[in-house]
Amino acid sequence: MAGTAPESRPGSRPSQRGPARAGRTRRPRPALLPHFVGVASGVLLIAAAFLPWYAADIAPPFQAVSASGWDATVFARLAAICGGLVAVGSAVPVLGSGHPALTAGRRTALGFAVAGLAVLAAALVAFRLVVLPDPADLLSRQIGLYAAALAAAGCVLAGVGQAAGRSGP
């Protein structure tokens, strides 16, 4: 009895995947994980732009003053805009999955656009991670810059996942 199919065993229930469901065709759904990661990383990148990126590295009795990425450099502003576009671009295929105008080709093109924006955001953040604004010898990196780098990396992974994903008929 080891070689028989489970449907033919006495006392077993018939499978739901048999001929009863053969008439229905299922449309393949896109993988949702890259879209959720893209939305979360884009929102985190926006939030990280308002966290402290740099602090003055001075000795006591002076007080260290920190500056957010938004206030310190235009690169953080551009990265935040890219993060917002990545979040919106990642949410559109999920929210409009049943819309007839969102074909597989447009979904793939949107994935490539999200990937391009994510790479741009990652390049902007990486540049400011390596090259500090002037006066660089008096500054130290803060948590917001590292959060932005992590979010930009998440955006890149989500963009590549969306661009490489096979979705739609």
Side-chain angles (χ1 to χ4, degrees), residues 98-149:
H99 198 277
L102 194 60
T103 62
R106 289 182 180 162
R107 193 175 295 129
T108 303
L110 188 60
F112 278 110
V114 165
L117 286 167
V119 167
L120 177 62
L124 292 168
V125 171
F127 179 76
R128 277 300 166 203
L129 189 61
V130 174
V131 180
L132 298 174
D134 288 330
D137 54 346
L138 299 176
L139 295 176
S140 65
R141 294 168 187 89
Q142 296 296 308
I143 190 71
L145 185 57
Y146 297 115

Side-chain angles (χ1 to χ4, degrees), residues 39-104:
V39 170
S41 297
V43 170
L44 178 61
L45 188 55
I46 294 170
F50 295 101
L51 293 175
W53 279 31
Y54 306 107
D57 197 14
I58 54 177
F62 301 106
Q63 185 177 353
V65 177
S66 64
S68 70
W70 189 267
D71 295 332
T73 177
V74 73
F75 285 90
R77 294 177 192 154
L78 293 174
I81 291 169
C82 289
L85 291 174
V86 165
V88 170
S90 296
V92 164
V94 175
L95 296 176
S97 61
H99 198 277
L102 194 60
T103 62

